[in-house]
């Protein structure tokens, strides 16, 4: 993550960062929510990041990785998101905030071969 951050900052705003990396292996995708009320220094304008979504996955999970990034982007656009994030009392409250956040739900795409009878 540190090497990835040196290449290009993953801070989206002064208060939000989404560090993400692709790792070797197969069928791995993990996401971790990080809340730091005092802020984490991501450099530049992002010296007090209070919320971070850390994503780690393998190349074969890249599609899921991109959908997760899109969902996070939608959820954090809620004008009340930051206040709810900071007010959450525990891990379950943070988890609910993300899982129940308003966003477009993505469906799996099925590859249909139109030439089959």
């Amino acid at each position: 993550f540190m090497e990835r951050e040196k290449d290009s900052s993953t801070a989206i705003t002064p208060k939000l960062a989404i560090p993400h990396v692709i790792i070797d292996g197969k069928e791995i995708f993990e996401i971790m929510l990080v809340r730091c009320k005092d802020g984490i220094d991501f450099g530049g304008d992002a010296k007090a990041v209070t919320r971070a979504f850390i994503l780690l996955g393998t190349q074969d999970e890249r599609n899921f990785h991109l959908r997760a990034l899109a969902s996070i982007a939608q959820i954090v656009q809620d004008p009340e998101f930051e206040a709810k994030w900071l007010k959450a009392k525990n891990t379950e409250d943070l988890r609910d905030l993300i899982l129940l956040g308003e966003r477009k739900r993505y469906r799996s795409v099925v590859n249909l071969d139109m030439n089959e009878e």
Side-chain angles (χ1 to χ4, degrees):
F1 283 107
M2 299 300 282
E3 289 300 317
R4 166 66 172 91
E5 202 62 29
K6 286 178 189 174
D7 288 341
S8 176
S9 179
T10 57
I12 307 301
T13 72
K15 300 277 185 188
L16 170 68
I18 308 176
H20 52 282
V21 294
I22 300 296
I23 61 167
D24 292 334
K26 294 227 181 259
E27 299 178 1
I28 299 169
F29 182 82
E30 299 289 333
I31 184 168
M32 180 171 56
L33 308 179
V34 177
R35 177 174 62 174
C36 181
K37 291 182 179 183
D38 295 330
I40 303 165
D41 186 351
F42 271 74
D45 292 338
K47 298 220 182 283
V49 170
T50 56
R51 53 200 186 274
F53 296 80
I54 301 172
L55 285 72
L56 173 83
T58 52
Q59 187 65 37
D60 63 323
E61 296 293 333
R62 186 75 174 148
N63 189 38
F64 188 72
H65 183 109
L66 294 173
R67 289 189 317 204
L69 286 171
S71 293
I72 292 166
Q74 291 177 42
I75 292 166
V76 300
Q77 288 182 31
D78 176 348
E80 298 176 20
F81 177 79
E82 185 170 1
K84 291 176 184 177
W85 177 266
L86 294 174
K87 189 169 75 171
K89 294 178 183 165
N90 54 40
T91 304
E92 286 302 310
D93 286 351
L94 287 173
R95 186 175 187 273
D96 287 348
L97 178 63
I98 301 307
L99 293 177
L100 301 175
E102 195 168 322
R103 66 187 178 277
K104 179 180 177 182
R105 307 294 178 172
Y106 296 95
R107 286 187 260 159
S108 296
V109 177
V110 177
N111 186 10
L112 300 175
D113 185 349
M114 301 304 278
N115 294 324
E116 287 186 24
E117 294 183 26

